[in-house]
Structures are given as C-alpha cells and as structure tokens.
Amino acid sequence: MLLVGNLLRILRNIHRTRVYIPSQGPASWQAFLAEPGKQWRTGYSAKALAHCWEDNDGLPNEIAQMFDAPAELLLALPEHKVPLDGGNRDSQNDVFALIRFRDQTCAATIEGKVNEPFGPTVGEWFSNPSHGKRERMRHLCSLLGLDEIPPSHIRYQLMHRTASALIEARRFKTDEAAMIVHSFSRERMWFEDFVMFLRLFGLDAEPDAASVLTLKSGQRLRLGWASGNSDFLAR
C-alpha cells in the first residue's frame, strides 16, 4: 500500500506540470483524481467515464452527437485543472478535450455524472463570501457574460466548469468552447439543474442535444447533456 501511495503522489505531481504521460488504460485515470481511493469506485462517474472514453478510442458517440458535423477527438486530458481568479483552488475538470468538426476546433470540458449532485448552489457557496469568493464570482460572471450574480438555486459547479472551457478556448485559440455533461444515470438525475443553468442564457435544454450561443465577448459556447451507456457502471 505504501508503494501505491507513493506512486499516486508522484503521478499527481507530474499532473501539475505541462507534460502529460500517455494513458495505459482506464486505471491510469485514477491517479489524477483529487481523492483516488475514495472516487475510484464501480458504479460511480470517475470510473465509468474512464472506461467509456478508453473503450471508444476517440470520442464516445454520444459526445460526437453534440456537434452538427462528424467530430474527431484530437486530445483528451483526464482531471484537467484550470486556474480561476480568486482563491487558490483550480477547477478540476473530469475531461478536457480538443475536438475537431468540419474545419472548426472546440475546447470542451466534460463533466461526468451518475447519481452525484453538482455540488453547492450559488446561494450556498456565496453565503457570507470572502474577498476571494467575490473576486472569483466577478471573474465567472464576466466570462459567462452575466450582468449579475445568478439566482441562488443555480449550481456553482456548472458555472466554473463552463468558465474553464471558455478560458481554455482562448488559450488554445479554438473556434468555440463547450461544456458537456456526460451522464450515466438511467434516471437522468440532476438534469433539472442543467435546465436551470441554460435558462441563464435564454436557452432550452434537451437531453442528447446541444445548444449554441455567442456570448457578449464574441466567444461561441456549446452546452449539452450527453447520455452515456449505463453498461459502463458495471466496470
């Protein structure tokens, strides 16, 4: 167990650099989790997501369907951290993917879900906010083109995952950004949270379909909910 623990710490330190090691299969993803021993469990999103993406050797079909043209995976980085203003905690995205469709490229953050909620609401996270939280909220609202702090029932995680995609789209100079929820829940748990998030932008959400808008900044943003194959929950 000591050797395994040391290996996980080494791999997490490697993940903080700009050098990435090719995956040897789904098990390679475990080391990059915030809590590898706790989060790597059969029936949960981290493990299901890893098996799904590795088995497809490219874009899972349900992710490819989020685009209005044949889509190709150029690069996928599990547990990709994106720095955000305010505080010292990055947004750790389940998958960051560079995707090509037609003559366009997209920087996409993928949020894996089964039964796990999207974390605290804006009202919970922003209750009695510190200076750092105020700075972060201003940063997120600016990136998302929001004129005011979202209603208290909106899930904070959906805000910073989408902001991560926008930040990385600028960094890689892609044509658009995307935030896609990759859900393996048979009951589509927490879909209503996604619906309410899209309403911030005047959009209607439908499962297995993407909505596209252009933000005030001029950035094009794609938002979608993709239903994953629940067979991966048994892996």
Side-chain angles (χ1 to χ4, degrees), residues 198-213:
L198 262 64
R199 285 177 184 164
L200 290 177
F201 307 98
L203 301 173
D204 294 323
E206 295 182 13
D208 303 307
S211 299
V212 182
L213 73 153

Side-chain angles (χ1 to χ4, degrees), residues 219-232:
Q219 278 190 286
R220 193 169 76 228
L221 174 63
R222 186 179 301 265
L223 299 166
W225 179 286
S227 300
N229 186 342
S230 59
D231 289 348
F232 288 108

Side-chain angles (χ1 to χ4, degrees), residues 4-44:
V4 172
N6 288 337
L7 177 60
L8 293 178
R9 283 191 289 274
I10 290 170
L11 288 174
R12 283 199 293 274
N13 287 333
I14 290 172
H15 185 59
R16 294 190 186 102
T17 76
R18 296 177 185 270
V19 178
Y20 292 84
I21 297 173
S23 170
Q24 299 300 310
S28 297
W29 295 43
Q30 182 182 3
F32 300 118
L33 293 168
E35 299 178 276
K38 178 180 178 181
Q39 294 173 293
W40 191 253
R41 298 168 62 187
T42 298
Y44 286 74

Side-chain angles (χ1 to χ4, degrees), residues 13-169:
N13 287 333
I14 290 172
H15 185 59
R16 294 190 186 102
T17 76
R18 296 177 185 270
V19 178
Y20 292 84
I21 297 173
S23 170
Q24 299 300 310
S28 297
W29 295 43
Q30 182 182 3
F32 300 118
L33 293 168
E35 299 178 276
K38 178 180 178 181
Q39 294 173 293
W40 191 253
R41 298 168 62 187
T42 298
Y44 286 74
S45 62
K47 199 171 184 182
L49 197 70
H51 279 279
C52 177
W53 280 69
E54 291 279 359
D55 277 23
N56 280 275
D57 192 26
L59 274 182
N61 184 58
E62 58 269 24
I63 301 296
Q65 288 181 350
M66 295 292 104
F67 298 85
D68 51 1
E72 172 191 5
L73 178 65
L74 302 178
L75 174 72
L77 303 177
E79 300 300 327
H80 180 65
K81 294 181 179 180
V82 177
L84 300 171
D85 290 353
N88 55 13
R89 187 171 181 178
D90 299 337
S91 179
Q92 185 162 336
N93 301 273
D94 294 338
V95 180
F96 170 70
L98 286 175
I99 298 168
R100 183 174 181 84
F101 63 104
R102 293 195 307 270
D103 60 346
Q104 307 279 294
T105 53
C106 174
T109 53
I110 311 297
E111 178 65 20
K113 283 287 176 247
V114 183
N115 297 328
E116 313 95 325
F118 285 106
T121 62
V122 167
E124 293 165 341
W125 183 83
F126 206 59
S127 176
N128 298 316
S130 63
H131 173 74
K133 284 191 174 184
R134 290 182 184 277
E135 182 181 354
R136 175 160 295 189
M137 183 59 75
R138 283 194 296 268
H139 181 50
L140 295 179
C141 288
S142 176
L143 285 166
L144 298 173
L146 302 175
D147 294 327
E148 56 188 21
I149 297 172
S152 61
H153 61 271
I154 296 298
R155 296 286 180 171
Y156 167 67
Q157 187 182 80
L158 291 172
M159 292 183 67
H160 67 80
R161 293 290 191 257
T162 304
S164 294
L166 293 165
I167 290 169
E168 295 302 76

